[in-house]
Amino acid sequence: MIPGIGTVVNVATVLLGSTLGVLLGNRLPVRTRDVVTDGLGLVTLLIAGTSAMAVLDDTLADDVGSDAPMLIVLGSLLIGGIVGSLLRLESRVESLGGWLQTRLAGSSDSADRHRFIEGFVVSSLVFCTGPLTILGSLNDGLGNGADQLYLKAALDGFAAIAFAASFGWGVAASAVTVVVVQGSLTLVGLGLGDVLPDAHLAAITATGGLLLVGVALRLLRVREIPVADLLPALLVAPLLVQLAAALH
């Protein structure tokens, strides 16, 4: 199996789903597209809750103690949020979305630009913060097969249809983020001798679940949480697990 083939398939399903969603969305009234977005927000909230429950994982508790998992997730979000805000990740992601909108869509209308950027940011976060992204890409690089990425590709394809029906071509542009994030993780997998320990993955999954809660709140138009600023939390989580395990 050629490393990276899973990401190639994932990008293809995102682009195909986005194209179908744009074709469908252009035929739907604004009210219907808003309802679709609300539905996506609720489903994202469900996925987020399921992922966040990994904080109760027995393996994580065994490694760091029963009281530490919640503190690890909290510490990851606080430290990651500070780092991300200092690096201005949210504004950088939005700037990238604006640049792609200019290059790909070419429209100067402010409403179209906002819709494109929102579609790009939200889709990028949804497609790249789940556990399948991390574990699937690492396993692909390790030569263990791309089955997990194939499953993720199918899920992302259907999600892209729904997202693009509401946000348009900005969703297709998120394929760039998928290439960068999953491609980088696949390269990391090539250099590793084994996958992440279960406890580390549980901490990443729980932290990623809370980030998806932030995405869901954006979709539901409850609050514009700068989720991209919190992305470093996914890197901080396994480091805190390692530290807590050493002290346990």
Side-chain angles (χ1 to χ4, degrees):
M1 183 67 69
I2 302 174
I5 189 65
T7 296
V8 172
V9 173
N10 201 163
V11 169
T13 58
V14 168
L15 292 175
L16 176 60
S18 298
T19 301
L20 293 175
V22 169
L23 294 175
L24 175 64
N26 288 337
R27 292 171 171 78
L28 297 176
V30 174
R31 175 179 172 81
T32 302
R33 291 202 296 258
D34 287 344
V35 170
V36 170
T37 303
D38 290 341
L40 286 170
L42 293 174
V43 172
T44 303
L45 197 58
L46 175 62
I47 297 172
T50 303
S51 298
M53 289 299 292
V55 75
L56 302 177
D57 187 90
D58 291 336
T59 305
L60 179 59
D62 291 341
D63 279 16
V64 302
S66 58
D67 297 328
M70 293 288 186
L71 295 177
I72 287 173
V73 174
L74 173 61
S76 298
L77 289 174
L78 292 178
I79 297 172
I82 292 171
V83 172
S85 62
L86 291 175
L87 293 175
R88 297 174 56 244
L89 293 182
E90 180 79 13
S91 62
R92 293 178 190 277
V93 171
E94 290 181 351
S95 296
L96 176 58
W99 181 82
L100 289 172
Q101 192 269 344
T102 302
R103 296 289 181 179
L104 300 176
S107 174
S108 59
D109 182 77
S110 60
D112 289 342
R113 181 181 176 85
H114 175 76
R115 184 167 169 248
F116 185 100
I117 293 174
E118 187 68 7
F120 171 74
V121 172
V122 169
S123 301
S124 295
L125 292 170
V126 170
F127 295 159
C128 295
T129 57
L132 284 177
T133 299
I134 299 169
L135 189 57
S137 299
L138 288 174
N139 275 325
D140 191 14
L142 289 164
N144 295 332
D147 292 347
Q148 290 167 318
L149 287 185
Y150 292 151
L151 172 60
K152 178 180 179 296
L155 296 174
D156 287 354
F158 285 110
I161 295 174
F163 278 130
S166 296
F167 294 113
W169 288 114
V171 179
S174 68
V176 174
T177 313
V178 173
V179 169
V180 173
V181 173
Q182 291 186 185
S184 299
L185 288 172
T186 299
L187 291 175
V188 170
L190 285 170
L192 291 177
D194 201 357
V195 297
L196 279 172
D198 290 341
H200 293 64
L201 182 61
I204 293 172
T205 302
T207 304
L210 290 182
L211 296 188
L212 286 177
V213 171
V215 176
L217 294 179
R218 289 181 70 145
L219 288 169
L220 294 170
R221 298 177 291 280
V222 175
R223 180 176 172 81
E224 290 287 323
I225 295 177
V227 179
D229 282 344
L230 295 169
L231 285 177
L234 296 175
L235 300 176
V236 175
L239 297 178
L240 291 184
V241 170
Q242 192 70 29
L243 177 61
L247 297 175
H248 180 54

